């Protein structure tokens, strides 16, 4: 897959890197527990656009398509559980090839959320999407994680990004060259003047730990960046696995043709 991704990087011309991803919110609730307001939904979309729009990716939603599911069992679903599969099988709200199913619930185990990766879409489309702890949406009550950046992080996974600390100091890491390896997640608000924090000894000289990266675990108000390499990986993942999203852009024909041509050559 690494060779395929190398071929896909740059496959979509800069001029064609403009897409709009429709989002449908599916709120799993337990009575009044887990309810999300219309303003929170609008604010969450604004947070996503603040992070992604400068890289050519915008999100939209239609309030009238929002889904509420009152089910105590689904509300507590775990990652990759039978309850998650049952919930998604019954309540997927948009074709995963062309949009984002954004589920909120109250999973256990201290999880703030999770996402499926692009390479999983073809083999298991029913599970596609993100699941987000309802308290992390803008205005929620989760301490340090209530500004909406959890969704930004999980959507990063949905678009193909790994954690910046993937594999620690060993193996391939996050497969992005400009996110220096670090040994473990960073939490809270690690200070810039205390760099390099837990940067790995094999990191390139002069590197700094990516303590403000959306794919780390720092507080919401400490996250503010994707690197150019991460952006390239996202567009390569779209070219390989989420090609139908290219149809939402103003230069859809050029983007899709470029992506498909590059991947044909690679094989």
């Amino acid at each position: 897959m690494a060779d395929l991704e190398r071929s896909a990087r740059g496959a979509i011309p800069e001029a064609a890197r403009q897409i709009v991803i429709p989002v449908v919110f599916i709120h799993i609730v337990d009575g009044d527990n887990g309810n999300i307001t219309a303003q929170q939904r609008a604010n969450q979309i604004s947070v996503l656009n603040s992070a992604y729009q400068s890289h050519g990716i915008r999100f939209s939603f239609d309030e009238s398509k929002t889904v509420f599911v009152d089910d105590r069992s689904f509300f507590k679903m775990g990652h990759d559980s039978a309850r998650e599969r049952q919930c998604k099988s019954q309540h997927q709200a948009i074709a995963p090839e062309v949009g984002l199913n954004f589920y909120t619930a109250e999973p256990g185990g201290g999880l703030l959320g999770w996402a499926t990766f692009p390479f999983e879409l073809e083999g298991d489309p029913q599970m596609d999407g993100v699941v987000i702890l309802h308290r992390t949406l803008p205005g929620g009550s989760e301490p340090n994680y209530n500004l909406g950046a959890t969704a930004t992080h999980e959507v990063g996974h949905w678009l193909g990004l790994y954690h910046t600390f993937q594999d620690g100091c060993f193996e391939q890491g996050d497969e992005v060259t400009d996110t220096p390896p670090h040994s473990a997640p960073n939490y809270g608000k690690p200070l810039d003047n205390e760099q390099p924090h837990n940067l790995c000894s094999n990191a390139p000289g002069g590197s700094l730990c990516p303590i403000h990266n959306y794919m780390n675990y720092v507080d919401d108000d400490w996250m503010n960046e994707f690197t150019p390499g991460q952006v390239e990986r996202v567009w390569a993942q779209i070219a390989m696995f989420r090609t139908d999203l290219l149809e939402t852009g103003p230069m859809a024909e050029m983007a899709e043709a470029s992506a498909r041509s590059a991947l044909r050559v690679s094989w």
Side-chain angles (χ1 to χ4, degrees):
M1 189 185 299
D3 289 340
L4 180 60
E5 181 173 331
R6 278 192 289 271
S7 298
R9 291 191 179 188
I12 303 172
E14 289 286 344
R17 293 186 180 188
Q18 295 290 330
I19 59 174
V20 181
I21 300 175
V23 178
V24 179
F25 290 96
I26 307 106
H27 300 306
I28 315 301
V29 302
D30 179 9
D32 291 334
N33 196 3
N35 274 326
I36 302 295
T37 67
Q39 188 61 59
Q40 285 181 287
R41 287 186 285 278
N43 289 347
Q44 181 64 80
I45 294 296
S46 294
V47 169
L48 289 173
N49 284 333
S50 178
Y52 288 96
Q53 191 162 0
S54 63
H55 308 303
I57 300 170
R58 190 164 62 84
F59 298 85
S60 66
F61 85 111
D62 182 343
E63 176 64 27
S64 69
K65 294 183 179 178
T66 300
V67 176
F68 284 88
V69 178
D70 190 350
D71 188 301
R72 178 172 297 179
S73 177
F74 291 164
F75 185 59
K76 295 290 188 179
M77 63 182 168
H79 178 229
D80 205 24
S81 65
R83 281 189 292 182
E84 180 190 3
R85 180 169 294 278
Q86 185 180 4
C87 176
K88 290 181 172 180
S89 297
Q90 294 179 16
H91 300 293
Q92 188 177 79
I94 188 171
E97 295 81 6
V98 298
L100 172 62
N101 287 277
F102 188 120
Y103 300 86
T104 63
E106 191 171 285
L111 291 175
L112 299 180
W114 62 83
T116 56
F117 285 92
F119 66 83
E120 298 175 295
L121 172 60
E122 184 175 4
D124 200 357
Q126 200 69 62
M127 293 293 280
D128 193 76
V130 300
V131 178
I132 307 294
L133 175 64
H134 64 91
R135 295 192 299 270
T136 68
L137 271 68
S141 60
E142 187 67 17
N144 304 317
Y145 298 102
N146 60 7
L147 302 178
T150 293
T152 303
H153 176 106
E154 297 303 339
V155 169
H157 289 317
W158 186 77
L159 290 170
L161 296 179
Y162 293 125
H163 294 130
T164 55
F165 50 87
Q166 190 82 18
D167 296 330
C169 298
F170 306 98
E171 301 181 19
Q172 296 186 65
D174 66 351
E175 301 181 22
V176 174
T177 59
D178 60 358
T179 52
H182 54 121
S183 60
N186 302 104
Y187 295 96
K189 297 179 175 61
L191 297 178
D192 292 288
N193 62 9
E194 293 181 357
Q195 286 277 19
H197 294 287
N198 57 342
L199 194 73
C200 296
S201 61
N202 59 346
S207 296
L208 298 177
C209 190
I211 57 173
H212 296 291
N213 198 282
Y214 286 114
M215 303 312 294
N216 205 331
Y217 275 0
V218 294
D219 290 354
D220 276 16
D221 60 0
W222 219 237
M223 294 181 171
N224 57 29
E225 65 181 14
F226 290 114
T227 67
Q230 286 176 312
V231 174
E232 286 300 315
R233 179 175 171 85
V234 162
W235 281 104
Q237 294 280 308
I238 290 172
M240 291 189 295
F241 303 115
R242 296 197 184 277
T243 314
D244 289 342
L245 293 179
L246 298 173
E247 298 178 5
T248 67
M251 302 186 72
E253 188 172 340
M254 179 206 294
E256 190 165 3
S258 298
R260 294 191 188 281
S261 175
L263 296 182
R264 279 199 300 273
V265 170
S266 74
W267 287 107

